[in-house]
Protein backbone atom coordinates (compact mmCIF):
# COMPACT_ATOMS: atom_id res chain seq x y z
CA UNK A 1 0.00 0.00 0.00
CA UNK A 2 1.21 3.47 -0.89
CA UNK A 3 0.27 5.83 1.91
CA UNK A 4 2.84 8.61 2.14
CA UNK A 5 4.86 10.94 -0.01
CA UNK A 6 8.30 10.27 1.42
CA UNK A 7 9.60 8.66 -1.76
CA UNK A 8 8.71 11.70 -3.89
CA UNK A 9 11.33 14.41 -4.33
CA UNK A 10 10.44 18.04 -3.77
CA UNK A 11 9.18 19.74 -6.93
CA UNK A 12 7.89 16.45 -8.38
CA UNK A 13 6.64 16.83 -11.95
CA UNK A 14 3.00 16.82 -12.97
CA UNK A 15 1.92 15.23 -16.26
CA UNK A 16 -1.48 16.41 -17.46
CA UNK A 17 -3.25 13.86 -19.69
CA UNK A 18 -6.16 15.14 -21.79
CA UNK A 19 -8.37 12.69 -23.72
CA UNK A 20 -10.04 14.33 -26.70
CA UNK A 21 -12.44 13.46 -29.49
CA UNK A 22 -13.70 16.21 -31.80
CA UNK A 23 -13.04 18.98 -29.27
CA UNK A 24 -11.86 21.67 -31.71
CA UNK A 25 -14.32 24.32 -30.43
CA UNK A 26 -13.05 24.15 -26.84
CA UNK A 27 -9.55 22.69 -26.88
CA UNK A 28 -7.67 25.94 -27.44
CA UNK A 29 -9.28 27.59 -24.41
CA UNK A 30 -8.32 24.67 -22.16
CA UNK A 31 -4.77 24.41 -23.49
CA UNK A 32 -4.27 28.16 -23.27
CA UNK A 33 -4.85 28.01 -19.53
CA UNK A 34 -2.22 25.29 -19.22
CA UNK A 35 0.62 27.27 -20.81
CA UNK A 36 1.80 28.98 -17.58
CA UNK A 37 1.85 25.53 -16.01
CA UNK A 38 4.03 24.23 -18.84
CA UNK A 39 6.38 27.12 -18.10
CA UNK A 40 6.58 25.79 -14.54
CA UNK A 41 7.46 22.31 -15.76
CA UNK A 42 4.08 20.61 -16.13
CA UNK A 43 3.99 18.18 -19.04
CA UNK A 44 0.84 18.26 -21.20
CA UNK A 45 -0.18 15.31 -23.36
CA UNK A 46 -3.24 15.24 -25.59
CA UNK A 47 -4.52 11.77 -26.48
CA UNK A 48 -6.81 11.86 -29.49
CA UNK A 49 -9.38 9.17 -30.09
CA UNK A 50 -9.85 9.71 -33.83
CA UNK A 51 -11.04 13.31 -34.20
CA UNK A 52 -12.22 14.49 -37.60
CA UNK A 53 -12.47 18.19 -36.80
CA UNK A 54 -8.77 19.09 -36.59
CA UNK A 55 -8.43 18.76 -32.82
CA UNK A 56 -4.89 17.26 -32.92
CA UNK A 57 -3.65 19.90 -35.36
CA UNK A 58 -5.01 22.72 -33.22
CA UNK A 59 -3.56 21.22 -30.06
CA UNK A 60 -0.10 20.40 -31.39
CA UNK A 61 1.63 23.78 -30.77
CA UNK A 62 0.28 23.94 -27.20
CA UNK A 63 1.17 20.49 -25.85
CA UNK A 64 4.33 18.46 -25.31
CA UNK A 65 2.98 15.44 -27.17
CA UNK A 66 -0.03 14.48 -29.25
CA UNK A 67 -0.82 10.78 -29.02
CA UNK A 68 -3.50 8.63 -30.61
CA UNK A 69 -5.41 5.77 -29.03
CA UNK A 70 -8.59 3.79 -29.51
CA UNK A 71 -11.62 5.96 -28.77
CA UNK A 72 -12.86 5.83 -25.21
CA UNK A 73 -11.64 7.90 -22.30
CA UNK A 74 -10.28 4.91 -20.37
CA UNK A 75 -8.07 3.68 -23.22
CA UNK A 76 -7.00 7.22 -24.11
CA UNK A 77 -6.05 8.15 -20.55
CA UNK A 78 -4.22 4.88 -20.00
CA UNK A 79 -2.26 5.49 -23.20
CA UNK A 80 -1.35 8.98 -22.04
CA UNK A 81 -0.26 7.72 -18.63
CA UNK A 82 1.98 5.13 -20.28
CA UNK A 83 3.88 7.88 -22.13
CA UNK A 84 3.90 10.51 -19.38
CA UNK A 85 7.18 11.46 -17.73
CA UNK A 86 5.89 12.93 -14.47
CA UNK A 87 5.68 11.41 -11.01
CA UNK A 88 2.11 12.74 -10.71
CA UNK A 89 -0.59 12.00 -13.28
CA UNK A 90 -3.42 14.51 -13.71
CA UNK A 91 -6.38 13.60 -15.91
CA UNK A 92 -8.21 16.60 -17.32
CA UNK A 93 -11.21 16.66 -19.65
CA UNK A 94 -10.83 18.66 -22.84
CA UNK A 95 -13.75 20.95 -22.02
CA UNK A 96 -12.62 21.74 -18.48
CA UNK A 97 -10.91 24.96 -17.40
CA UNK A 98 -8.38 24.58 -14.56
CA UNK A 99 -7.62 27.29 -12.04
CA UNK A 100 -4.34 29.18 -12.70
CA UNK A 101 -2.48 27.50 -9.84
CA UNK A 102 -3.95 23.99 -10.24
CA UNK A 103 -0.57 22.36 -10.87
CA UNK A 104 0.95 23.92 -7.77
CA UNK A 105 -2.04 22.83 -5.69
CA UNK A 106 -1.59 19.26 -6.95
CA UNK A 107 2.12 19.18 -6.17
CA UNK A 108 1.50 20.67 -2.75
CA UNK A 109 -1.13 18.06 -1.92
CA UNK A 110 1.07 15.16 -3.00
CA UNK A 111 4.14 16.51 -1.23
CA UNK A 112 2.02 16.92 1.92
CA UNK A 113 1.30 13.18 1.83
CA UNK A 114 -1.84 12.70 -0.28
CA UNK A 115 -1.82 9.64 -2.53
CA UNK A 116 -4.47 10.95 -4.89
CA UNK A 117 -7.17 13.57 -5.11
CA UNK A 118 -9.45 15.76 -7.16
CA UNK A 119 -10.85 19.27 -7.30
CA UNK A 120 -14.11 20.89 -6.36
CA UNK A 121 -16.18 21.60 -9.45
CA UNK A 122 -18.09 24.50 -10.98
CA UNK A 123 -20.38 24.21 -14.01
CA UNK A 124 -19.94 26.81 -16.74
CA UNK A 125 -23.64 27.63 -17.09
CA UNK A 126 -25.24 30.51 -15.18
CA UNK A 127 -28.54 28.88 -14.19
CA UNK A 128 -29.22 28.76 -10.46
CA UNK A 129 -29.88 25.03 -10.72
CA UNK A 130 -26.26 24.51 -11.79
CA UNK A 131 -25.04 26.00 -8.50
CA UNK A 132 -27.00 23.33 -6.64
CA UNK A 133 -25.71 20.58 -8.93
CA UNK A 134 -22.06 21.55 -8.50
CA UNK A 135 -22.41 21.80 -4.72
CA UNK A 136 -23.96 18.35 -4.64
CA UNK A 137 -21.21 16.91 -6.86
CA UNK A 138 -18.46 18.26 -4.63
CA UNK A 139 -20.20 17.28 -1.39
CA UNK A 140 -20.85 13.75 -2.64
CA UNK A 141 -17.23 13.26 -3.66
CA UNK A 142 -16.00 14.52 -0.29
CA UNK A 143 -18.28 12.13 1.60
CA UNK A 144 -17.79 9.04 -0.57
CA UNK A 145 -14.30 9.46 -1.98
CA UNK A 146 -15.73 8.78 -5.45
CA UNK A 147 -14.70 11.40 -7.98
CA UNK A 148 -15.81 12.07 -11.52
CA UNK A 149 -13.60 12.91 -14.46
CA UNK A 150 -14.99 16.45 -14.39
CA UNK A 151 -13.10 16.94 -11.12
CA UNK A 152 -9.62 16.45 -12.59
CA UNK A 153 -8.43 13.33 -10.78
CA UNK A 154 -4.71 13.32 -9.95
CA UNK A 155 -2.70 10.45 -8.55
CA UNK A 156 0.84 9.37 -7.82
CA UNK A 157 2.12 7.38 -10.77
CA UNK A 158 3.22 4.48 -8.55
CA UNK A 159 -0.28 4.15 -7.14
CA UNK A 160 -1.93 4.45 -10.56
CA UNK A 161 0.23 1.64 -11.85
CA UNK A 162 -0.33 -0.39 -8.69
CA UNK A 163 -4.12 -0.42 -9.20
CA UNK A 164 -3.88 -1.14 -12.92
CA UNK A 165 -4.97 2.26 -14.22
CA UNK A 166 -8.43 2.97 -15.57
CA UNK A 167 -10.59 -0.10 -16.18
CA UNK A 168 -11.16 -0.44 -19.92
CA UNK A 169 -14.91 0.16 -19.86
CA UNK A 170 -17.15 2.48 -21.91
CA UNK A 171 -18.65 4.48 -19.03
CA UNK A 172 -17.89 5.40 -15.41
CA UNK A 173 -14.23 4.55 -15.72
CA UNK A 174 -13.62 7.46 -13.34
CA UNK A 175 -15.88 5.93 -10.68
CA UNK A 176 -14.20 2.55 -11.11
CA UNK A 177 -10.74 4.11 -10.75
CA UNK A 178 -11.84 5.94 -7.61
CA UNK A 179 -12.97 2.65 -6.08
CA UNK A 180 -9.62 1.07 -6.88
CA UNK A 181 -7.72 4.00 -5.40
CA UNK A 182 -9.82 4.02 -2.22
CA UNK A 183 -9.04 0.36 -1.66
CA UNK A 184 -5.32 0.78 -2.23
CA UNK A 185 -4.59 4.07 -0.47
CA UNK A 186 -5.89 5.86 2.58
CA UNK A 187 -4.87 9.44 1.94
CA UNK A 188 -6.96 11.36 -0.57
CA UNK A 189 -7.81 15.04 -0.81
CA UNK A 190 -10.54 17.17 -2.40
CA UNK A 191 -8.93 20.49 -3.19
CA UNK A 192 -11.05 23.61 -2.56
CA UNK A 193 -10.00 25.37 -5.75
CA UNK A 194 -12.50 24.70 -8.53
CA UNK A 195 -12.30 23.39 -12.06
CA UNK A 196 -14.86 24.90 -14.40
CA UNK A 197 -16.41 22.12 -16.43
CA UNK A 198 -18.75 22.53 -19.38
CA UNK A 199 -22.45 22.39 -18.61
CA UNK A 200 -23.30 21.54 -22.22
CA UNK A 201 -24.69 18.07 -21.53
CA UNK A 202 -27.08 19.51 -18.92
CA UNK A 203 -28.09 22.29 -21.31
CA UNK A 204 -28.52 20.04 -24.34
CA UNK A 205 -30.38 17.19 -22.64
CA UNK A 206 -32.14 19.10 -19.89
CA UNK A 207 -30.65 19.61 -16.45
CA UNK A 208 -33.25 17.68 -14.45
CA UNK A 209 -33.21 14.81 -16.92
CA UNK A 210 -29.41 14.52 -16.71
CA UNK A 211 -29.45 14.65 -12.90
CA UNK A 212 -32.01 11.83 -12.70
CA UNK A 213 -30.17 9.82 -15.34
CA UNK A 214 -26.85 10.09 -13.53
CA UNK A 215 -28.41 9.10 -10.20
CA UNK A 216 -29.98 6.08 -11.88
CA UNK A 217 -26.72 5.09 -13.58
CA UNK A 218 -24.78 5.35 -10.31
CA UNK A 219 -27.33 3.18 -8.54
CA UNK A 220 -27.28 0.63 -11.35
CA UNK A 221 -23.47 0.63 -11.29
CA UNK A 222 -23.48 0.00 -7.53
CA UNK A 223 -25.90 -2.89 -8.08
CA UNK A 224 -23.49 -4.49 -10.55
CA UNK A 225 -25.04 -3.63 -13.92
CA UNK A 226 -22.46 -4.11 -16.68
CA UNK A 227 -20.72 -0.92 -17.90
CA UNK A 228 -21.68 -1.75 -21.50
CA UNK A 229 -25.37 -1.65 -20.57
CA UNK A 230 -24.88 1.57 -18.62
CA UNK A 231 -23.25 3.13 -21.67
CA UNK A 232 -26.24 2.22 -23.83
CA UNK A 233 -28.62 3.79 -21.32
CA UNK A 234 -26.46 6.93 -21.13
CA UNK A 235 -26.49 7.39 -24.88
Amino acid sequence: MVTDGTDLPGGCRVSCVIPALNEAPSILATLGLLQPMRDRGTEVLLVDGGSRDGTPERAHPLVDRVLTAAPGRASQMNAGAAHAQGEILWFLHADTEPSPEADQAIRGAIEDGADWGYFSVRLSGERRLFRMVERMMTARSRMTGIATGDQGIFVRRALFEQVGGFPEQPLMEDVALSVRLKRAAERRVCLPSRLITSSRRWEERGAVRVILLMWWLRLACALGVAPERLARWYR
Side-chain angles (χ1 to χ4, degrees):
M1 178 181 294
V2 181
T3 56
D4 61 51
T6 56
D7 60 331
L8 286 174
C12 47
R13 190 180 191 190
V14 176
S15 289
C16 180
V17 177
I18 303 174
L21 179 62
N22 295 324
E23 293 287 354
S26 60
I27 194 63
L28 293 183
T30 299
L31 295 180
L33 294 170
L34 294 173
Q35 298 314 297
M37 303 185 200
R38 291 182 72 202
D39 293 339
R40 292 193 289 265
T42 295
E43 178 187 35
V44 178
L45 302 94
L46 183 130
V47 188
D48 189 73
S51 296
R52 298 181 178 180
D53 65 349
T55 294
E57 292 77 12
R58 288 193 176 197
H60 191 272
L62 299 175
V63 300
D64 295 283
R65 294 190 69 176
V66 173
L67 305 168
T68 58
R73 278 180 172 155
S75 61
Q76 290 171 244
M77 290 187 289
N78 284 336
H83 288 85
Q85 301 297 310
E87 298 91 348
I88 306 168
L89 303 174
W90 177 26
F91 301 98
L92 187 70
H93 285 181
D95 59 357
T96 298
E97 299 180 8
S99 62
E101 310 301 328
D103 59 329
Q104 295 174 329
I106 290 171
R107 282 199 298 269
I110 295 294
E111 290 170 0
D112 284 344
D115 297 312
W116 68 287
Y118 41 89
F119 290 82
S120 302
V121 67
R122 180 178 175 84
L123 297 176
S124 61
E126 296 301 324
R127 292 179 58 187
R128 183 175 298 180
L129 177 61
F130 293 153
R131 305 289 78 80
M132 180 184 72
V133 171
E134 65 198 25
R135 287 195 295 268
M136 290 173 60
M137 290 173 64
T138 298
R140 184 197 65 239
S141 68
R142 288 180 182 273
M143 289 188 295
T144 66
I146 302 298
T148 67
D150 294 325
Q151 293 179 267
I153 296 172
F154 58 90
V155 58
R156 296 174 58 182
R157 169 189 287 279
L159 177 58
F160 182 80
E161 294 175 349
Q162 175 185 323
V163 303
F166 285 94
E168 296 279 348
Q169 59 189 57
L171 190 70
M172 292 194 172
E173 74 290 332
D174 45 7
V175 171
L177 177 66
S178 295
V179 171
R180 290 183 175 187
L181 294 175
K182 280 184 62 177
R183 291 172 178 169
E186 297 176 356
R187 304 191 65 176
R188 70 175 187 272
V189 62
C190 179
L191 296 176
S193 57
R194 295 183 176 186
L195 301 185
I196 300 176
T197 190
S198 173
S199 58
R200 62 185 176 182
R201 63 178 172 178
W202 283 272
E203 293 167 345
E204 291 171 357
R205 298 186 179 191
V208 174
R209 180 184 178 189
V210 170
I211 292 169
L212 294 176
L213 174 62
M214 296 310 297
W215 282 353
W216 165 244
L217 291 175
R218 287 182 179 279
L219 175 60
C221 180
L223 293 174
V225 176
E228 291 75 18
R229 177 172 292 184
L230 297 178
R232 289 196 297 271
W233 291 345
Y234 179 75
R235 298 190 186 101

